[in-house]
Amino acid sequence: MFRMVRLEAKRSIALPLFLVLAALTRVFLWMDIQQWAASWTPLLYSMRGTAWIALPVALAAGIWHGGRERRSEVSELFAATPLPRPVRLLPALLVIVGAVALAEAAVTVWAGALASRYATYSDGGWQLGLTVGLLAAVAVTLLGLGVGRAASTPVAAPLGGVLLFLLLTVSQIRDGRPANRLVDTVIPMLPVTDDFHRVLPSLSAAQGVWFAALGATGILLAVAASTRARVLALTPALAGVAVGTLLAPSGAIVPDPQATALVCAPGNSRICVTQVHTGALPGLVAPARKVLAAFAKVPGGPTRVEEEGVSWMFDDGKPAADANDLGTVRVQLPYRTQEGGIRWAPAVVLDVVARSATVDGDCFPGEQEWSRASDASDAMTTLLLGTPTDELSPVARKAYDTLRALPAKERYQRIADGRKAGLTCGDPLAVITGQGAGR
């Protein structure tokens, strides 16, 4: 058997398939490396997302290899051998499926080695998810081999690859449509989520049932000798999609409270980030300390800086700021380096923290409203931090001069009132310029 497998590997497309599949998967992962290189869960989603391009290649290769005998017109010759059909086809199945599995496994090991250097959090479901992704690649390859045995025409392989590519592409265009358990089960990618949510492991388990059944159908199609046998070979796939859909959760994406748990700076419990972004903490400490020190003279000024664990992708029902609870500055840190740190320069982080201490961006959806709030924030933070005034807009510079001309006690009280207005959807510019508190 070993000699047959080795001979099959030499005369088949196994090696080119391995190289092409590994290269494609790695390139697509590398394009998204900033998102997953420091966290296991994003690695899972990115790795499963490569199925969009990898599985059509695997399907086309399986179809091409499965139809090789009939295209070469040697089917009758091979059928005359005393070996049973399953035994005779086993080397081809092992070689092609092995090439796909090894390519996917090699890229997974490479990506896992990168993530392991900096990853600080895992929801515990990435191992199952990656295993199901590998099972999907194997199942699609087996299906291709089965289809190739039944349809050996040269156009079948490219046609099958293109059709699967289009199906996967269309399946990802949700346009706000609600989750569909059937779609979530049969497609190899996981639903798109963010760092503060997770996909329930039960969805990966349901997908595992479906892809195991699909692989069984591929094997039965490959060894089928009649039309009736090919029709019966569809039974596992039909049963698998039914069982998988029943097992799939209706709402696969749920908040992850462990990911949003706070991790604070050593020796300073006033500066914290979410657990999933622990690598961003060192880059936040110095700017946050500077902002807290600058606002120390402001009555009711902030005493803590925390990363906000609220998703931009999902509506978590973010509550409006409480006028009596403005002691915490909540910042968002969406842009991170490959090591998990903050990609922004320290000056940018300082500006983000300072702005978050004075205005809530969600309160000002309109361009004109945001411009007024931003000018007010620039005036207050420039005065407190002592930063240059060269980049202030004319409106912000006028507000800055107004605040600077006030006596110290009144100035800091005016800033406190402006900050309160900015965080509770008032008009901070009107407040700091002495024109009232309404819009």
Side-chain angles (χ1 to χ4, degrees):
M1 177 61 70
F2 178 75
R3 290 182 58 190
M4 295 174 64
V5 170
R6 186 173 62 178
L7 179 62
E8 184 70 25
K10 287 182 178 180
R11 68 189 186 95
S12 70
I13 60 172
L15 181 58
L17 174 61
F18 171 82
L19 296 175
V20 169
L21 204 55
L24 275 177
T25 307
R26 180 168 177 174
V27 166
F28 274 81
L29 272 181
W30 187 264
M31 293 169 60
D32 202 28
I33 193 170
Q34 302 287 355
Q35 299 297 322
W36 57 261
S39 183
W40 290 112
T41 304
L43 169 60
L44 166 61
Y45 301 139
S46 296
M47 191 69 202
R48 292 287 295 273
T50 60
W52 171 69
I53 190 67
L55 294 197
V57 174
L59 179 68
I63 294 175
W64 181 264
H65 194 76
R68 183 184 55 179
E69 287 186 9
R70 294 181 65 179
R71 287 196 307 274
S72 302
E73 298 181 353
V74 293
S75 299
E76 294 183 1
L77 176 63
F78 286 164
T81 61
L83 291 176
R85 180 186 292 262
V87 176
R88 181 165 52 84
L89 296 178
L90 184 59
L93 294 178
L94 290 177
V95 166
I96 296 300
V97 171
V100 172
L102 285 176
E104 292 293 302
V107 176
T108 301
V109 170
W110 164 77
L114 290 181
S116 64
R117 298 181 300 171
Y118 305 108
T120 58
Y121 171 76
S122 168
D123 64 5
W126 62 273
Q127 298 96 331
L128 174 62
L130 290 177
T131 301
V132 172
L134 182 60
L135 176 61
V138 170
V140 169
T141 307
L142 289 171
L143 179 66
L145 288 167
V147 171
R149 296 282 301 174
S152 59
T153 175
V155 301
L159 182 61
V162 170
L163 286 177
L164 180 58
F165 175 80
L166 293 176
L167 285 173
L168 294 180
T169 301
V170 171
S171 70
Q172 292 299 95
I173 304 175
R174 297 296 181 89
D175 295 330
R177 287 176 287 176
N180 185 296
R181 293 196 297 175
L182 174 60
V183 174
D184 288 344
T185 299
V186 299
I187 65 171
M189 293 87 79
L190 290 172
V192 178
T193 182
D194 60 16
D195 290 346
F196 303 135
H197 291 74
R198 66 188 182 98
V199 177
L200 290 173
S202 55
L203 177 59
S204 289
Q207 290 177 327
V209 171
W210 152 244
F211 285 117
L214 186 66
T217 287
I219 294 174
L220 293 176
L221 282 174
V223 301
S226 65
T227 302
R228 181 173 179 273
R230 294 188 184 100
V231 173
L232 291 176
L234 301 177
T235 303
L238 295 175
V241 73
V243 174
T245 302
L246 290 175
L247 294 177
S250 57
I253 300 175
V254 296
D256 188 351
Q258 293 184 0
T260 55
L262 294 178
V263 175
C264 299
N268 189 343
S269 60
R270 301 191 305 158
I271 302 172
C272 310
V273 297
T274 57
Q275 184 173 346
V276 72
H277 294 161
T278 303
L281 185 56
L284 178 64
V285 170
R289 282 177 175 168
K290 190 171 183 179
V291 169
L292 292 178
F295 277 83
K297 298 179 181 179
V298 177
T303 57
R304 288 175 58 85
V305 175
E306 296 178 357
E307 181 187 6
E308 188 174 38
V310 174
S311 169
W312 62 268
M313 191 179 297
F314 302 97
D315 181 15
D316 279 344
K318 176 185 174 183
D322 186 345
N324 298 318
D325 182 24
L326 303 178
T328 300
V329 179
R330 294 176 173 84
V331 297
Q332 296 184 10
L333 306 172
Y335 300 105
R336 292 174 302 284
T337 64
Q338 183 176 332
E339 295 78 20
I342 302 174
R343 195 186 307 175
W344 294 321
V348 177
V349 180
L350 177 65
D351 180 68
V352 169
V353 177
R355 189 178 298 277
S356 299
T358 52
V359 295
D360 182 350
D362 292 337
C363 286
F364 309 100
E367 182 177 350
Q368 184 175 359
E369 294 173 315
W370 173 244
S371 179
R372 286 179 58 84
S374 181
D375 286 335
S377 175
D378 290 343
M380 290 185 282
T381 57
T382 299
L383 183 60
L384 290 174
L385 295 171
T387 52
T389 60
D390 301 343
E391 296 185 2
L392 290 179
S393 69
V395 175
R397 181 57 192 254
K398 182 178 179 180
Y400 171 88
D401 291 337
T402 300
L403 288 173
R404 194 161 180 260
L406 296 173
K409 184 176 181 180
E410 185 178 352
R411 179 193 310 146
Y412 293 129
Q413 184 58 53
R414 186 77 65 85
I415 291 175
D417 294 339
R419 176 173 177 269
K420 179 179 177 181
L423 294 172
T424 57
C425 303
D427 189 345
L429 186 62
V431 172
I432 65 174
T433 55
Q435 298 175 7
R439 284 188 176 274

